[in-house]
Amino acid sequence: MFKLSRVLHLTSTSRHRLLEVLSSRNVEVGDSLWDRRDFTHSAGISTATNNYSAKGYASDRIFAPYTVYKGKAAFSLSPCLPTFTKLDSGTVVVDRRGSMMMTFMHSIGERKYDWDKRQKFALSATEVGSLITMGSHDSSEFFHDPSMLSSNAGQVRKSLSIKPNANSNGYFVSLNVVNNLLNTKDYFSVPVTTAEFAVMKTACSFALPHIMGWDQITNQQSRGTVGLQRKGGSQILDLEWEK
Amino acid sequence: MFKLSRVLHLTSTSRHRLLEVLSSRNVEVGDSLWDRRDFTHSAGISTATNNYSAKGYASDRIFAPYTVYKGKAAFSLSPCLPTFTKLDSGTVVVDRRGSMMMTFMHSIGERKYDWDKRQKFALSATEVGSLITMGSHDSSEFFHDPSMLSSNAGQVRKSLSIKPNANSNGYFVSLNVVNNLLNTKDYFSVPVTTAEFAVMKTACSFALPHIMGWDQITNQQSRGTVGLQRKGGSQILDLEWEK
Amino acid sequence: MFKLSRVLHLTSTSRHRLLEVLSSRNVEVGDSLWDRRDFTHSAGISTATNNYSAKGYASDRIFAPYTVYKGKAAFSLSPCLPTFTKLDSGTVVVDRRGSMMMTFMHSIGERKYDWDKRQKFALSATEVGSLITMGSHDSSEFFHDPSMLSSNAGQVRKSLSIKPNANSNGYFVSLNVVNNLLNTKDYFSVPVTTAEFAVMKTACSFALPHIMGWDQITNQQSRGTVGLQRKGGSQILDLEWEK
Amino acid sequence: MFKLSRVLHLTSTSRHRLLEVLSSRNVEVGDSLWDRRDFTHSAGISTATNNYSAKGYASDRIFAPYTVYKGKAAFSLSPCLPTFTKLDSGTVVVDRRGSMMMTFMHSIGERKYDWDKRQKFALSATEVGSLITMGSHDSSEFFHDPSMLSSNAGQVRKSLSIKPNANSNGYFVSLNVVNNLLNTKDYFSVPVTTAEFAVMKTACSFALPHIMGWDQITNQQSRGTVGLQRKGGSQILDLEWEK
């Protein structure tokens, strides 16, 4: 699998828009005009374009992460759809589960974020369920071990914590990565306002059925593969009672 | 109606993905990479593919259940869309109501669940309404009698209960099936965390309009069958006051 | 405008499904298998098929009301989409606002409801906003006067009230119609459980953007009429500051 | 960029509908039959049709704002979708962020609103997050400076405030515009009921993923650009751990 190194520079124009300097296959989605009129910045956010293209996916992908930029670090949030496989029988099944991908970057100067040293954390459906149900005084912490079932189990650990701030009017979203194989530690902490967390919750609630693949189930009728047909016979089935 | 017996084996790979061993027309959607890195398991979940195919539906179906695996039992949740019939007049009506299908299985060993002795419970729209409105201290119980209007009324009874656990930080979801005809009793109980219940609530809220068939109503305009046309005359109607 | 008189008989089959006896252009969507295993009934619910066809709309319409049947009366709830008009300029505007149509019927015997004497009440977007924001102790009351701007103003009055029951574990949904022109009065009251009201709220929240026509706005890109195109020039606009 | 001056007259018909007098490319979406049976009015609401057409967008646009008309002023709310750009690589990125556009008008007589002196305020995703999370006692205030990064920074200031009324059964939504360049001040204040605010919240929650562009991400599979394909190889990737 190849990996592209890239630096993206975003500069504010005289009309307060952000110019995008794009490297091949990778792109920074310009920070919002509305959120960030007060500075230009340099950062690159991608959700694994190269991984996808390496697997032979269409390069026709859409990028629209929700990004929270703060003084010391930033993170972006973007839904990562499940992939499906069609079996010989015609049945379509989930191949890889979807997730909400969080990508953290350190600030490396005024309005610059270090894309090359980014760290990712993929929230599962249940972890998203935990996030969207959090009250203003609640905390959540999630642990991932990429080497869990291998001989390296426990050598690399990622933990994401979401903790209310002192006033309970926002949260600290922090990612801790300990890699004993490389002898590295990495820590990101991003303060999130109530409004930003509300966007995260609403966007995650919207995305949840999609990362679960349920939109594909409910879309079946629109696409005409199931339902909407004249009944041929009078046989009546009760799904609950049949096996 | 035919019934397929099958066993599905899912094994974790060195990269923590789940290999899928699929029997014809039936499939297990592999447990999430994110949720279950710590074991392999053997289970099969299907939402009545054979029933559908027996009725002549397209085999092109999508499976993406949300499954909660626990020590003694597991259950999965999946929307079951309504079916529609087109009348000679061109009007399309609901033929069979949709539901949220819950499928329970016993654990029959480490990471193995007994697909052959599964029991199903189909939540109606109103039962889903009950579930999604539950507070952390609330209980719900639903009773179904498949033989209600026949001479066997009362002989087979299914009840689903959702009860908060002692700490009110989760629920027990239990299914009880008493079959006096076969002289069998079956009982499943699955502890559900707050995060898992939040997924169930959000996913059920998403699915509810779909199992009611309302997405088909609101999709009419997109598909161009209603609306979006130049008005021919000036006749103005007030639907509320006409019959 | 023509008006069809019809009686629909729904009978439970041995397999607990409901047979549908349909008159031309009008249809009863059979009561749910799940809700109503305990009786058959006779009722007809339509959302003004004849009105639509009188206006030249496609007869290809979909019926999927949510119906609450109780001892003395029943009501159904169904979204009524807005209609749009395309102007010569190509701009599409709302022609008639959408609504949530409630249709009330008296019980006229065991499991029979009087379709011919039904009364309708069309909830506006704002009235839907009132409904979906109701707490368990809240009441709402809406007044409609169909003759408001005519010489008959005040002669016919409809009021819909939603009031919590004594235990605050449900509501009474009541419609009062006073017609001084015909010297008639009509009153319906239907007790609604918390679960049924949760379905109404969730379904109304789902339907609200659709009856406002916002789904047509957000669907524009999917249909390729707006957005998704390469920028021709570098002119940058800030919509907020232009007129 | 050209600017159209226009006056739109809406008159109630004998059947309580509103006649639309439309100027080229601009349109008033008639006030709801349900909300406003008691008066006719004259107002024009547009969401920058001319801006869009100046940029070469299709003129095929849909207008369906939610408008709150009150005695001294009115405002309408309408989602403004993001625009996207397709890169040479095939990747699609957000070009301009979406927003919820609020348009305020002064009342200039009975049922007349001054379209020519309207003022707009475009709520960002995060500002929408703030709005939808407001409790009945909460306030929000947002500040926009269109000249932020130019030599005119601070010369023009817009602030939108949402404050609970004395009874906490509604809000005052107010826009203040101070333009030191033109030496003008403008102030609008519109009382909003709990029901109207519930519509705003529900409609904004619906629209939020769309103005973020996330509906384009989740729609990719439906349109077949990603997902749904047979796996070619056995290579298994874990997006979270790759770069």
Side-chain angles (χ1 to χ4, degrees):
Chain A
M1 186 165 325
F2 63 94
K3 175 169 170 301
L4 295 178
S5 181
R6 71 218 82 105
V7 181
L8 306 178
H9 295 278
L10 308 179
T11 354
S12 176
T13 70
S14 60
R15 298 269 314 170
H16 324 297
R17 289 294 316 295
L18 299 168
L19 261 185
E20 293 161 9
V21 183
L22 304 162
S23 67
S24 149
R25 287 185 172 286
N26 293 278
V27 65
E28 158 68 347
V29 180
D31 193 8
S32 165
L33 170 62
W34 324 110
D35 298 334
R36 307 291 292 173
R37 290 167 193 246
D38 50 345
F39 66 83
T40 59
H41 59 111
S42 161
I45 295 151
S46 153
T47 49
T49 312
N50 44 340
N51 285 348
Y52 272 100
S53 54
K55 281 189 73 177
Y57 282 90
S59 60
D60 230 83
R61 284 177 53 75
I62 297 174
F63 292 91
Y66 179 66
T67 307
V68 177
Y69 295 105
K70 291 296 161 70
K72 296 194 175 168
F75 71 85
S76 71
L77 189 68
S78 190
C80 203
L81 296 178
T83 59
F84 293 88
T85 296
K86 191 170 191 165
L87 306 178
D88 290 333
S89 61
T91 304
V92 172
V93 299
V94 171
D95 177 42
R96 187 176 54 208
R97 291 281 175 94
S99 64
M100 291 297 311
M101 186 62 79
M102 300 186 75
T103 306
F104 288 80
M105 293 169 292
H106 293 293
S107 170
I108 49 170
E110 205 182 355
R111 291 141 206 153
K112 287 177 197 271
Y113 295 92
D114 189 351
W115 172 244
D116 282 336
K117 294 195 179 156
R118 70 194 180 283
Q119 292 280 2
K120 298 201 254 179
F121 196 90
L123 296 170
S124 71
T126 301
E127 288 164 350
V128 168
S130 191
L131 186 153
I132 62 180
T133 203
M134 285 178 70
S136 58
H137 300 278
D138 295 337
S139 296
S140 286
E141 190 149 17
F142 310 121
F143 299 92
H144 289 182
D145 176 0
S147 316
M148 187 181 287
L149 292 175
S150 74
S151 57
N152 286 328
Q155 295 297 304
V156 182
R157 290 195 164 277
K158 292 184 176 187
S159 67
L160 181 84
S161 88
I162 305 176
K163 287 183 177 149
N165 64 25
N167 307 325
S168 287
N169 62 358
Y171 299 85
F172 287 104
V173 176
S174 310
L175 178 67
N176 198 43
V177 182
V178 177
N179 189 325
N180 290 336
L181 301 173
L182 302 176
N183 240 343
T184 58
K185 291 189 182 184
D186 219 347
Y187 181 73
F188 307 80
S189 189
V190 181
V192 170
T193 66
T194 303
E196 288 160 343
F197 203 69
V199 173
M200 291 171 63
K201 276 181 162 186
T202 302
C204 281
S205 297
F206 166 80
L208 184 57
H210 297 275
I211 68 174
M212 294 167 70
W214 281 27
D215 59 330
Q216 299 299 307
I217 298 176
T218 53
N219 272 344
Q220 286 180 101
Q221 278 177 332
S222 309
R223 295 183 307 197
T225 56
V226 175
L228 273 177
Q229 54 180 18
R230 188 174 305 278
K231 273 193 302 181
S234 61
Q235 191 176 15
I236 294 159
L237 301 175
D238 182 349
L239 287 179
E240 180 178 315
W241 305 100
E242 304 290 342
K243 289 211 179 178
Chain B
M1 185 162 327
F2 62 95
K3 174 169 170 301
L4 295 178
S5 180
R6 72 219 80 107
V7 180
L8 305 179
H9 295 280
L10 307 180
T11 353
S12 175
T13 71
S14 60
R15 297 267 316 167
H16 324 297
R17 291 294 316 294
L18 299 168
L19 263 186
E20 293 162 8
V21 183
L22 303 160
S23 66
S24 148
R25 287 185 172 285
N26 293 277
V27 64
E28 158 68 346
V29 180
D31 193 5
S32 165
L33 170 62
W34 323 109
D35 297 333
R36 307 293 290 175
R37 291 168 192 244
D38 50 345
F39 64 83
T40 59
H41 58 110
S42 161
I45 295 149
S46 151
T47 49
T49 311
N50 45 339
N51 285 349
Y52 273 99
S53 55
K55 281 190 76 179
Y57 282 90
S59 60
D60 230 83
R61 285 178 53 75
I62 297 174
F63 293 91
Y66 179 67
T67 307
V68 178
Y69 296 105
K70 292 296 160 70
K72 296 195 175 168
F75 71 85
S76 71
L77 189 69
S78 190
C80 203
L81 297 177
T83 58
F84 293 88
T85 297
K86 192 169 190 165
L87 306 179
D88 291 333
S89 63
T91 304
V92 172
V93 299
V94 171
D95 178 41
R96 187 178 52 210
R97 292 280 176 96
S99 64
M100 290 298 310
M101 186 62 79
M102 299 186 76
T103 306
F104 288 80
M105 293 170 292
H106 292 292
S107 170
I108 49 170
E110 205 181 357
R111 294 142 205 155
K112 288 178 196 271
Y113 294 92
D114 189 351
W115 173 244
D116 282 336
K117 294 197 179 154
R118 72 194 178 282
Q119 291 280 2
K120 297 202 254 178
F121 197 90
L123 296 170
S124 71
T126 301
E127 288 163 350
V128 168
S130 192
L131 186 153
I132 61 180
T133 204
M134 285 178 71
S136 58
H137 300 278
D138 294 337
S139 295
S140 285
E141 190 151 17
F142 310 120
F143 299 93
H144 289 182
D145 176 359
S147 315
M148 186 181 287
L149 293 174
S150 75
S151 57
N152 285 329
Q155 294 297 303
V156 181
R157 291 193 163 278
K158 293 186 176 185
S159 67
L160 180 83
S161 88
I162 305 176
K163 287 183 178 149
N165 64 24
N167 307 325
S168 286
N169 63 358
Y171 299 86
F172 287 103
V173 176
S174 311
L175 178 67
N176 197 43
V177 182
V178 177
N179 189 325
N180 290 334
L181 300 173
L182 302 176
N183 241 341
T184 59
K185 292 188 181 185
D186 219 347
Y187 180 73
F188 306 80
S189 190
V190 181
V192 170
T193 66
T194 303
E196 288 160 344
F197 203 68
V199 174
M200 292 171 63
K201 276 181 163 187
T202 302
C204 281
S205 296
F206 167 80
L208 183 56
H210 298 275
I211 69 174
M212 293 167 72
W214 281 27
D215 59 329
Q216 299 300 306
I217 298 177
T218 54
N219 272 344
Q220 286 180 100
Q221 278 177 331
S222 310
R223 295 183 306 197
T225 57
V226 174
L228 273 178
Q229 53 179 18
R230 188 174 305 280
K231 273 193 301 181
S234 60
Q235 191 177 15
I236 294 160
L237 301 175
D238 181 348
L239 287 180
E240 180 178 317
W241 306 99
E242 304 290 343
K243 289 209 179 180
Chain C
M1 187 162 326
F2 63 95
K3 175 169 171 299
L4 295 178
S5 180
R6 73 218 79 109
V7 180
L8 305 178
H9 294 280
L10 308 180
T11 352
S12 176
T13 71
S14 61
R15 298 268 314 169
H16 323 298
R17 289 297 314 295
L18 300 167
L19 262 185
E20 295 162 7
V21 183
L22 304 161
S23 66
S24 148
R25 287 185 173 285
N26 293 277
V27 65
E28 159 67 348
V29 179
D31 193 6
S32 164
L33 169 62
W34 324 110
D35 297 333
R36 308 291 289 173
R37 291 169 191 244
D38 50 344
F39 64 81
T40 59
H41 57 112
S42 161
I45 293 150
S46 151
T47 49
T49 312
N50 44 339
N51 285 348
Y52 273 98
S53 55
K55 280 190 75 179
Y57 282 90
S59 60
D60 228 84
R61 285 178 53 75
I62 297 174
F63 293 91
Y66 179 66
T67 308
V68 178
Y69 296 104
K70 293 295 161 71
K72 296 195 174 168
F75 71 86
S76 71
L77 188 68
S78 190
C80 204
L81 297 177
T83 59
F84 293 89
T85 296
K86 192 169 191 165
L87 306 179
D88 291 333
S89 62
T91 303
V92 172
V93 299
V94 172
D95 178 40
R96 186 178 54 209
R97 291 280 176 97
S99 64
M100 291 298 311
M101 185 63 78
M102 301 186 74
T103 306
F104 288 79
M105 294 170 291
H106 292 292
S107 170
I108 49 171
E110 204 181 358
R111 295 145 204 151
K112 287 176 196 270
Y113 296 91
D114 189 350
W115 172 245
D116 282 335
K117 293 195 180 158
R118 71 192 178 284
Q119 291 280 3
K120 296 202 254 179
F121 196 90
L123 295 171
S124 71
T126 301
E127 288 163 351
V128 168
S130 190
L131 185 152
I132 61 180
T133 204
M134 285 179 70
S136 59
H137 300 278
D138 295 335
S139 295
S140 286
E141 189 150 19
F142 310 120
F143 299 92
H144 289 181
D145 175 359
S147 316
M148 186 182 288
L149 293 175
S150 75
S151 56
N152 285 329
Q155 295 297 303
V156 181
R157 290 194 164 278
K158 292 185 176 184
S159 67
L160 181 83
S161 88
I162 305 176
K163 287 181 178 151
N165 65 24
N167 307 326
S168 287
N169 62 359
Y171 298 86
F172 287 103
V173 176
S174 310
L175 178 67
N176 197 43
V177 182
V178 177
N179 189 325
N180 289 335
L181 301 172
L182 301 176
N183 242 341
T184 58
K185 291 188 181 184
D186 220 347
Y187 180 74
F188 307 80
S189 190
V190 181
V192 170
T193 67
T194 304
E196 289 160 344
F197 203 68
V199 175
M200 292 170 65
K201 276 181 162 187
T202 302
C204 281
S205 296
F206 167 80
L208 183 57
H210 298 275
I211 68 174
M212 293 167 71
W214 280 28
D215 59 329
Q216 299 299 304
I217 297 176
T218 54
N219 272 343
Q220 285 180 98
Q221 279 177 332
S222 310
R223 296 184 304 197
T225 56
V226 174
L228 273 178
Q229 52 180 16
R230 188 175 305 278
K231 273 193 302 181
S234 60
Q235 191 177 15
I236 295 160
L237 300 175
D238 182 348
L239 287 179
E240 180 178 316
W241 306 99
E242 304 289 342
K243 288 209 178 180
Chain D
M1 187 163 327
F2 63 95
K3 175 169 170 302
L4 295 178
S5 179
R6 72 217 81 106
V7 181
L8 306 178
H9 295 279
L10 307 180
T11 353
S12 176
T13 71
S14 60
R15 297 267 314 169
H16 324 297
R17 289 295 316 295
L18 299 168
L19 260 185
E20 293 162 9
V21 183
L22 304 160
S23 66
S24 149
R25 287 185 173 286
N26 293 278
V27 65
E28 159 67 348
V29 179
D31 192 7
S32 165
L33 171 61
W34 324 110
D35 299 332
R36 309 290 292 172
R37 290 166 192 248
D38 50 345
F39 64 84
T40 60
H41 58 112
S42 161
I45 294 151
S46 152
T47 49
T49 312
N50 43 341
N51 285 348
Y52 273 99
S53 54
K55 281 191 74 179
Y57 281 90
S59 60
D60 229 83
R61 284 178 54 75
I62 297 174
F63 293 90
Y66 179 65
T67 307
V68 177
Y69 296 105
K70 292 296 161 70
K72 296 194 175 169
F75 71 85
S76 71
L77 189 68
S78 191
C80 203
L81 297 177
T83 59
F84 293 88
T85 297
K86 191 169 192 166
L87 306 179
D88 291 333
S89 62
T91 304
V92 173
V93 299
V94 171
D95 178 40
R96 187 177 53 208
R97 291 280 176 94
S99 64
M100 292 297 312
M101 186 63 78
M102 301 187 75
T103 306
F104 288 79
M105 293 169 292
H106 293 292
S107 170
I108 49 170
E110 207 182 355
R111 291 142 208 154
K112 286 176 197 272
Y113 295 91
D114 189 350
W115 172 244
D116 282 336
K117 294 195 179 157
R118 71 193 178 284
Q119 291 280 2
K120 297 202 253 179
F121 196 91
L123 295 170
S124 71
T126 301
E127 288 163 350
V128 167
S130 190
L131 186 153
I132 61 181
T133 204
M134 284 178 71
S136 60
H137 299 279
D138 295 336
S139 295
S140 286
E141 189 150 18
F142 310 121
F143 299 92
H144 288 182
D145 175 0
S147 316
M148 185 181 289
L149 293 174
S150 75
S151 56
N152 285 328
Q155 295 297 303
V156 181
R157 290 194 163 278
K158 292 185 176 185
S159 67
L160 181 83
S161 88
I162 306 177
K163 287 181 179 153
N165 64 23
N167 307 326
S168 288
N169 63 359
Y171 298 86
F172 287 103
V173 176
S174 310
L175 178 67
N176 197 44
V177 182
V178 177
N179 189 326
N180 289 335
L181 302 172
L182 302 176
N183 242 342
T184 59
K185 292 187 181 184
D186 219 347
Y187 180 74
F188 306 80
S189 190
V190 181
V192 170
T193 66
T194 302
E196 288 159 344
F197 203 68
V199 174
M200 291 171 64
K201 276 181 162 185
T202 302
C204 280
S205 297
F206 166 81
L208 184 57
H210 298 275
I211 68 174
M212 293 167 71
W214 281 26
D215 59 329
Q216 299 299 306
I217 297 177
T218 54
N219 271 343
Q220 286 180 100
Q221 277 177 334
S222 310
R223 294 184 306 198
T225 57
V226 175
L228 274 178
Q229 53 180 16
R230 187 175 305 279
K231 272 193 301 180
S234 60
Q235 192 177 15
I236 294 160
L237 301 175
D238 182 349
L239 286 179
E240 180 178 315
W241 306 100
E242 304 289 342
K243 288 209 178 179

